[in-house]
């Protein structure tokens, strides 16, 4: 069963309180609720927000290869006071559209060792790079590169690529985290995956019938349970 890290921010505060005790992902791009999450979550994944920063740069007209942050020192400093608590790890920065050589260079800047950081292997990259990352780090993140509307995670092209990953790994699967992968979390032996669905959609599941009572957020809890069952 893959651990599901629910993306944040989850607002308003009572909605987050209602799902206390679960695993959460906090992005450096949107760290709004980091203190609240750290006070109630046993497991936390810190995301660097590289894809969001990259998309922001692309929309501003920057070449996709050059887009994204080049200096991640503020992110590393942000992690310094929080990463070594039990149950916490972080995604190592990369440039989503950059060649493997550039992203391999970014790995050299990571200051927190192989167990507290997980690099990203973009699934259009060379399989031998995935093999190298698995040798170097205790956990590796997979990032699907298909169009989210036409070729989402779980599409035929994704599954063909995962067949190649399975052939590479054989009978022993290195601990892998599937980025935005709750829909396939139970289809492969992932150790974890994450989802922003709770943060984006929880308001639809708030039971207005119970407004003002302790059960006001029971629909939100039920939706979080559903997402976690998908990865079982």
């Amino acid at each position: 069963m893959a651990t599901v890290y629910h993306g944040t921010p989850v607002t308003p505060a009572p909605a987050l309180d209602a799902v206390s005790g679960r695993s959460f992902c906090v992005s450096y791009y949107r760290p709004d609720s980091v203190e609240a999450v750290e006070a109630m979550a046993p497991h936390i994944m810190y995301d660097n927000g590289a894809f969001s920063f990259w998309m922001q740069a692309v929309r501003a007209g920057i070449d996709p290869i050059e887009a994204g942050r080049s200096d991640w020192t503020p992110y590393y400093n942000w992690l310094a006071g929080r990463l070594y608590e039990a149950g916490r790890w972080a995604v190592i920065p990369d440039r989503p559209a950059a060649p493997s050589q550039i992203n391999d260079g970014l790995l050299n800047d990571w200051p927190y060792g192989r167990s507290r950081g997980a690099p990203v292997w973009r699934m259009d990259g060379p399989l031998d790079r995935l093999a190298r990352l698995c040798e170097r780090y205790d956990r590796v993140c997979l990032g699907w590169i298909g169009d989210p509307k036409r070729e989402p995670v779980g599409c035929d092209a994704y599954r063909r690529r995962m067949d190649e990953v399975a052939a590479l790994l054989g009978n022993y699967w290195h601990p892998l985290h599937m980025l935005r992968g709750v829909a396939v979390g139970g289809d492969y032996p992932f150790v974890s995956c994450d989802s922003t669905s709770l943060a984006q959609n929880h308001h639809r599941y708030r039971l207005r019938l119970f407004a003002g009572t302790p059960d006001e957020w029971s629909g939100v809890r039920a939706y979080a349970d559903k997402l976690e069952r998908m990865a079982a």
Side-chain angles (χ1 to χ4, degrees), residues 215-228:
D215 291 322
E216 179 178 356
W217 302 98
S218 59
V220 177
R221 289 192 292 273
Y223 185 53
D225 290 340
K226 176 182 178 180
L227 292 169
E228 292 169 8

Side-chain angles (χ1 to χ4, degrees), residues 51-79:
F51 185 78
S52 297
F53 285 114
W54 177 77
M55 284 296 299
Q56 185 181 54
V58 170
R59 292 190 187 108
I62 298 175
D63 185 299
I65 299 298
E66 300 297 329
R69 299 175 66 102
S70 56
D71 181 11
W72 286 98
T73 302
Y75 173 60
Y76 302 147
N77 292 340
W78 181 70
L79 292 173

